Amino acid sequence: MASNSSYTIHLLAILHFLYFSQSLAAVLESSSSPVSPDTICKSTLYPSFCKSLLPRNDSCNIYDYGHFSVRQSLSIARNFLSLVDWYLNHQSTLSNIAIRALEDCRLLAGLNMDFLLSTVETINSTKTLPSLQADDVQTLLSAILTNQQTCLDGLQATASAWSAKNGLSIPLSNGAMLYSVSLALFTHGWVHQGMKGKLQTGRKLIFSDMEVGCLPLRMSNRNREIYESVNRRNLLQTTQDGVLVSDVVVVNQDGTGNFTTINGAVAAAPNNSDISNGYFLIYVVAGVYEEYVSIMKNKKILMMIGDGINQTVITGNRSKVDGWTTFNSATLAVVGQGFVAVNITFRNTAGAIKDQAVAVRNGADMSTFYNCSLEGYQDTLYTHSLRQFYRECDIYGTVDFIFGNAAVVFQNCNLYPRLPMHGQFNAITAQSRTDPNQNTDTSIHNCNIRATHDLASSNGTVKTYLGRPLKEYSRTVYMQSFMDSLIDPSGWIEWSGNFSLSTLYYAEYNNTGPGSVIPSRVTWPGYHVINATNAANFTVSNFILGDDWLPATGVPYTGLL
């Protein structure tokens, strides 16, 4: 718990940041105007570091500084990746879990390199970006910070990685500050208030000329025959444009399909596919698949369809207790952009006794889960980063069972807190935003929150909360959802004393049920009861710009309230 004096100092720092962020708006009314480093750096979380970084040139504008900081970010990311590789090549004294933590860092550092290269390419092309491109870049820069924090958290949680952590701590810290500065400069220079929701068309590339059952598809005759033979149910909504499929493969453990394992089918998917080419569709026949499935960054635009919840089951049991990092304990780990999962159960069966044990870790931009079940205990669903959507999914867990720092919307889902270990309480969410300029949030819209049978049978001895702040700027919103009586009247619970209670943003709008009663809620500065105007900011259309990319998936959604 923070002391009163340290809390006061922290609060003053936040007020200082907010004051200069507001006053800077007038200075940057014309973003192409020259501005001094001293002025521009007051808009960041790290003014001193920012001033030491930027060139002392009063003729520069915010775009010049933004280009400079992003190029510096790319350089430091490249050096950090080399340093992690060095430690992994000299690992004789490291334990397995330390090596796993470093491997997580290498994967995350590689993603940061990709994101920064994409950012440089985008902002070099023009000073003014369309709203979609601006949101893309802000999303990538937000994810870079999340990746850096995830690496640090993994090393700190690994006692035997101390030697590597000590050698990486300064590069990690400097990188985090630099990435934060780059995000702040981009947000002030390229992203403008009210931009979200005012979309240009531009990504919709799907045009259907036939229908197979209820799902309009474009595919070859061979693939159409395969799909007709395995799909006789209503899976995805019929859209005017349809769902474009480039290829279909079947996974069946009895050997009658194209593959007997899911990973085998994933490996066969084309690398770096584009939505204009259509989805590589993997149909997974009913069965229990004991696999750890990884959808890597080069496996883009992949759709995986099963035979239904509890019919097609992918299961594993990795956990923190058994020597895995939280990050790599996942039964399904997704990074490849545009991933879609339909009619599948994903499980981690490690149990409450094994602490952190992830069923699904999702760091895939514009990814979608529809009519899936995600089942675990502590840390069931790791919504790690980037833009995500979950529709009509069942999610089971105990402590922090939906956590991470994505821009994510859950819609028409069932959230099922279950019985934790003795002495524990349930927290449905633990959102981990670390920077005020990140465009991340957990938005829960039109969902149902009910206890599982084992929790209901505990006669109220276990408290269940809507969430708690894993990081300083944690953001979670519940809208138009049903909350049963299991929700504690206070609604939310702190992480550690006063930590983040002034900087978090937790909000509720027009929820129903006995657990939604407002008068006994927490009175934290960061807690809000919001109106429809504010709630609209957290909808599919406005928050994750779902109108731009969800139609291509065929998954139904409600864009607004």
Side-chain angles (χ1 to χ4, degrees):
M1 180 181 294
S3 66
N4 289 335
S5 60
S6 63
Y7 174 67
T8 301
I9 293 171
H10 176 74
L11 183 58
L12 288 173
I14 296 300
L15 293 174
H16 172 89
F17 171 76
L18 292 175
Y19 170 78
F20 281 108
S21 293
Q22 293 168 358
S23 63
L24 186 69
V27 177
L28 297 178
E29 186 173 351
S30 174
S31 296
S32 59
S33 301
V35 60
S36 71
D38 289 351
T39 300
I40 199 68
C41 286
K42 290 173 182 176
S43 70
T44 72
L45 281 182
Y46 308 101
S48 297
F49 178 85
C50 175
K51 286 188 286 186
S52 71
L53 168 75
L54 297 183
R56 306 298 300 181
N57 187 342
D58 289 349
S59 66
C60 291
N61 59 36
I62 191 168
Y63 298 117
D64 298 323
Y65 294 128
H67 283 98
F68 180 83
S69 66
V70 169
R71 289 196 299 270
Q72 291 295 106
S73 295
L74 181 58
S75 176
I76 202 169
R78 184 179 292 112
N79 292 336
F80 181 73
L81 180 57
S82 297
L83 187 57
V84 171
D85 282 336
W86 185 89
Y87 274 104
L88 284 170
N89 291 330
H90 298 78
Q91 57 180 257
S92 58
T93 61
L94 296 175
S95 66
N96 285 336
I97 191 170
I99 292 170
R100 287 168 180 159
L102 285 168
E103 288 173 342
D104 293 348
C105 290
R106 179 166 59 187
L107 184 153
L108 294 162
L111 290 172
N112 281 355
M113 286 285 295
D114 294 342
F115 296 164
L116 285 164
L117 286 168
S118 177
T119 297
V120 169
E121 181 180 357
T122 301
I123 66 175
N124 279 348
S125 62
T126 179
K127 288 184 178 180
T128 58
L129 294 175
S131 59
L132 291 176
Q133 281 188 294
D135 190 71
D136 288 347
V137 174
Q138 189 182 17
T139 297
L140 293 180
L141 292 174
S142 297
I144 288 166
L145 269 174
T146 300
N147 290 343
Q148 193 83 346
Q149 185 65 50
T150 302
C151 170
L152 177 61
D153 289 345
L155 292 173
Q156 287 180 330
T158 307
S160 56
W162 279 112
S163 61
K165 186 180 79 68
N166 290 338
L168 294 172
S169 60
I170 292 177
L172 274 168
S173 175
N174 288 341
M177 289 190 290
L178 178 54
Y179 302 153
S180 176
V181 168
S182 294
L183 176 59
L185 296 180
F186 179 83
T187 301
H188 286 297
W190 280 268
V191 180
H192 304 289
Q193 292 297 321
M195 177 176 286
K196 287 198 172 186
K198 299 177 181 179
L199 306 181
Q200 297 87 19
T201 58
R203 286 203 195 107
K204 190 178 288 186
L205 300 170
I206 313 302
F207 300 96
S208 175
D209 54 10
M210 64 187 69
E211 290 191 6
V212 180
C214 73
L215 178 62
L217 300 170
R218 289 182 61 196
M219 60 175 69
S220 69
N221 289 335
R222 180 187 71 85
N223 287 339
R224 186 166 66 253
E225 290 171 2
I226 294 173
Y227 192 85
E228 286 178 316
S229 71
V230 300
N231 177 36
R232 300 295 181 185
R233 303 164 316 283
N234 292 341
L235 291 177
L236 308 176
Q237 72 174 7
T238 299
T239 64
Q240 180 179 357
D241 293 332
V243 177
L244 179 64
V245 175
S246 63
D247 205 354
V248 180
V249 296
V250 178
V251 179
N252 197 333
Q253 292 172 319
D254 68 6
T256 60
N258 303 96
F259 299 93
T260 57
T261 67
I262 299 167
N263 280 312
V266 171
N271 292 333
N272 299 312
S273 185
D274 185 84
I275 188 63
S276 61
N277 299 321
Y279 286 97
F280 183 85
L281 195 155
I282 300 173
Y283 172 77
V284 186
V285 174
V288 177
Y289 295 81
E290 297 182 1
E291 295 187 57
Y292 295 97
V293 178
S294 180
I295 314 296
M296 299 303 291
K297 65 182 181 181
N298 61 334
K299 301 299 181 181
K300 300 178 181 179
I301 318 301
L302 191 153
M303 181 179 288
M304 188 180 297
I305 297 179
D307 272 322
I309 290 175
N310 294 329
Q311 299 300 309
T312 297
V313 179
I314 304 174
T315 184
N317 62 2
R318 290 175 178 170
S319 68
K320 185 74 177 294
V321 168
D322 288 336
W324 298 90
T325 64
T326 302
F327 186 81
N328 60 31
S329 68
T331 302
L332 172 73
V334 187
V335 178
Q337 179 179 319
F339 176 78
V340 180
V342 183
N343 282 13
I344 301 175
T345 292
F346 302 94
R347 286 182 184 149
N348 189 313
T349 61
I353 197 170
K354 293 297 182 71
D355 296 336
Q356 294 97 325
V358 176
V360 172
R361 187 194 83 227
N362 189 0
D365 198 21
M366 295 182 283
S367 54
T368 308
F369 285 71
Y370 175 45
N371 195 35
C372 290
S373 184
L374 295 81
E375 303 172 8
Y377 287 83
Q378 183 170 345
D379 292 1
T380 300
L381 173 57
Y382 195 172
T383 56
H384 182 263
S385 54
L386 302 168
R387 292 165 290 197
Q388 307 177 16
F389 180 62
Y390 299 77
R391 171 82 178 200
E392 296 173 33
C393 291
D394 299 336
I395 307 171
Y396 297 79
T398 57
V399 181
D400 307 333
F401 69 91
I402 298 173
F403 75 111
N405 195 26
V408 55
V409 177
F410 296 87
Q411 193 171 84
N412 294 28
C413 292
N414 298 307
L415 311 182
Y416 292 117
R418 61 201 308 181
L419 188 67
M421 290 194 298
H422 178 72
Q424 289 184 328
F425 60 82
N426 290 328
I428 296 173
T429 65
Q431 208 279 337
S432 58
R433 180 169 170 163
T434 61
D435 192 289
N437 289 304
Q438 289 178 306
N439 60 353
T440 56
D441 187 286
T442 296
S443 176
I444 297 173
H445 181 208
N446 198 34
C447 294
N448 294 297
I449 305 169
R450 292 184 171 89
T452 56
H453 178 73
D454 59 352
L455 180 62
S457 299
S458 67
N459 297 318
T461 59
V462 175
K463 291 184 178 293
T464 297
Y465 301 92
L466 298 174
R468 60 177 181 160
L470 182 56
K471 298 295 181 184
E472 192 169 7
Y473 295 91
S474 180
R475 289 172 68 92
T476 301
V477 178
Y478 285 82
M479 308 185 298
Q480 297 175 320
S481 294
F482 174 82
M483 302 176 180
D484 213 342
S485 58
L486 75 160
I487 300 300
D488 188 84
S490 62
W492 309 80
I493 188 170
E494 69 275 4
W495 187 272
S496 178
N498 290 328
F499 168 74
S500 79
L501 301 188
S502 296
T503 51
L504 60 77
Y505 183 90
Y506 287 166
E508 297 182 54
Y509 167 71
N510 202 24
N511 298 301
T512 60
S516 68
V517 179
I518 294 298
S520 297
R521 288 295 197 249
V522 295
T523 58
W524 307 337
Y527 171 73
H528 307 274
V529 178
I530 58 177
N531 59 26
T533 301
N534 291 327
N537 294 323
F538 304 99
T539 58
V540 169
S541 293
N542 292 331
F543 178 46
I544 58 172
L545 307 188
D547 296 330
D548 178 57
W549 55 276
L550 280 172
T553 69
V555 172
Y557 70 95
T558 302
L560 300 172
L561 295 174

